[in-house]
Amino acid sequence: MNTPKTDAKAAPAAKKDDSKKLTDQLAKEVSERAGKLVPKINAAFTKARTEAVKQAKAELEKKAKKEAKGGKPDAKELAKKKSELEKRIPSFSAAISDTIESSGLRTADEQAYYAIKGWSSTCSSAHMRRAAIHVPVTAVRAGKSKVIPHKKTNLLTYFPSKYSHADHLDEKKEVWAIMSYADFAKAWADAVKGAKLANWGGKKPDLAPDDPWHVELPRKAVKGGADKADVVKKTRPGRSDKEVNACVENYAEYIALTDELPKGKKLKRNAEIEKNYKSLFDKKFKAAKAKVDAERKKAKEQAEKAAKAEAKEKDKKADPKAVKAKTDEATKKLNDDLEKRAKKLVNKMNPDPSRFKLEK
C-alpha cells in the first residue's frame, strides 16, 4: 500500500505551485499594462512624424523659393522633392518583445550571466519574477528597418540632443530622427506613467538610457502615474532569497577563475554588483578564490618538485632558471585550464545561445 503524503511532504510542492502562480499573475499584469503603453507611445511617434513631415516640407519650400531668386519654383519639381523628402523621414513604432529574454522567467544562473557581461547591476531583477517586460522601438527609413539598441549612445542616433526638421533636407545624410532626445524622453515617460509602469528601478517612469525598453510593475507609488493601489509587491526576489545567493555565487566564482589570468583574458569586474551585494560577494569570492589559490600553490609546488627531481637524477643542483621555467609552464597550463572552466561556467548560464554567442 502506498503511504499517503503528509502535510510536511506536500509543503514544498505547494510552495512551488504558489511561486508559479505568483509569477504567472505578475507576467499577465505587466503584459496587460505594457499593452496600454504601446498605443500611447506609438501615438506620440505618429504625431511627431506628422509634424516633422509638415515642417520639413515647409523648410524645403522656403529653400526652393530662395533658390528661385524672386521667381516661382517649378511646381512639379517641388512636389517631387517633397514626396522624396517624406520618404526619407523615418517612422517609429514600439511593440512588446516576444523573446524569452523579455517575458520569460529569468533564472539565477541567467541573471548571473547578465551580471558577468556587465549588462545588469542587480542579482534581484524583476525578470526573476516575470514582473518586467521589454518594449523595444523600431525605426524604419527608406525601406531600412532597425530595432533601436539599448544604451543612450545608440539612442542619440535616433533621438539626437539637437534636432531640426530641416536636417532632413540634406539628401546625402541618413537622418534617423523625428524628435530630440528630450522630447522623446518626455513622451516615453508620459506613456510609461499612463500605463502605470516603471523603469528598471521599479520606482520611476522616467526613461532609463542604460536600459530604455525595460518596463516593470511599480514597487513604489509614482506621482501622476501609479498610486498605492497600483503598486505590486514581490516583483523581485529579496536579498536573502536563494536565487540572489546563487546569482552572486556564480558571479563570484567566475571572477575567482579569471582574476589572475593574463591581461586581455580577465573579466572587467561589475562594480555595481560587488557594491550592491558587498558582504555576500566578499564571502563567496573569498571562498572561491581560496580554492583557485590552492590550485595555483599546488601546481607551483609540483613543478618545483619535478624540476628538483630531474636535477637530482643528473646528480646536479636544481638550476633556479630551470625551476622558474617549470613553474611558469605549470602556471600557463593552469591558466589555460581556468580559462576553459570559466568559459564552460558562463556558457552554462547563457540564457539563449542562439542570440548570445557561446564563449570558445
Side-chain angles (χ1 to χ4, degrees), residues 33-47:
R33 295 194 189 192
K36 294 174 183 176
L37 160 65
V38 170
K40 286 179 183 291
I41 190 62
N42 283 343
F45 285 145
T46 299
K47 184 179 178 181

Side-chain angles (χ1 to χ4, degrees), residues 3 36 41 73 76 87 120 184 253 257 280 353:
T3 306
K36 294 174 183 176
I41 190 62
K76 284 187 178 180
K87 290 176 183 177
S120 180
F184 168 63
E253 184 179 350
L257 288 170
L280 181 58

Side-chain angles (χ1 to χ4, degrees), residues 123-264:
C123 270
S124 182
S125 170
H127 284 293
M128 297 164 81
R129 287 289 183 270
R130 293 188 70 194
I133 203 164
H134 291 180
V135 184
V137 173
T138 300
V140 179
R141 181 187 183 278
K144 291 181 182 178
S145 178
K146 295 183 180 181
V147 177
I148 302 174
H150 286 208
K151 303 294 181 186
K152 185 174 180 179
T153 50
N154 293 313
L155 287 181
L156 289 173
T157 298
Y158 303 87
F159 307 104
S161 299
K162 292 182 180 180
Y163 165 76
S164 169
H165 298 308
D167 294 342
H168 296 287
L169 271 60
D170 188 341
E171 296 177 28
K172 295 179 181 179
K173 286 177 68 176
E174 272 201 15
V175 180
W176 286 84
I178 55 173
M179 64 174 88
S180 69
Y181 182 83
D183 288 341
F184 168 63
K186 184 181 183 305
W188 181 264
D190 287 345
V192 173
K193 192 184 293 183
K196 300 188 186 302
L197 287 166
N199 63 21
W200 64 266
K203 299 175 183 178
K204 295 179 180 180
D206 303 346
L207 178 73
D210 49 349
D211 197 0
W213 314 138
H214 172 115
V215 290
E216 62 180 66
L217 296 174
R219 293 190 294 146
K220 190 176 181 181
V222 178
K223 188 176 180 182
D227 56 29
K228 290 182 179 178
D230 302 306
V231 174
V232 182
K233 294 182 178 179
K234 298 182 179 178
T235 58
R236 54 184 68 196
R239 294 181 70 85
S240 60
D241 283 15
K242 63 181 181 180
E243 298 104 310
V244 176
N245 192 288
C247 173
V248 176
E249 185 168 18
N250 277 324
Y251 171 79
E253 184 179 350
Y254 190 85
I255 293 295
L257 288 170
T258 61
D259 191 50
E260 292 185 30
L261 292 184
K263 190 177 180 182

Side-chain angles (χ1 to χ4, degrees), residues 263-274:
K263 190 177 180 182
K265 295 186 177 182
K266 270 188 174 186
L267 172 78
K268 183 179 178 182
R269 294 172 68 153
N270 191 324
E272 290 297 308
I273 289 288
E274 295 181 25

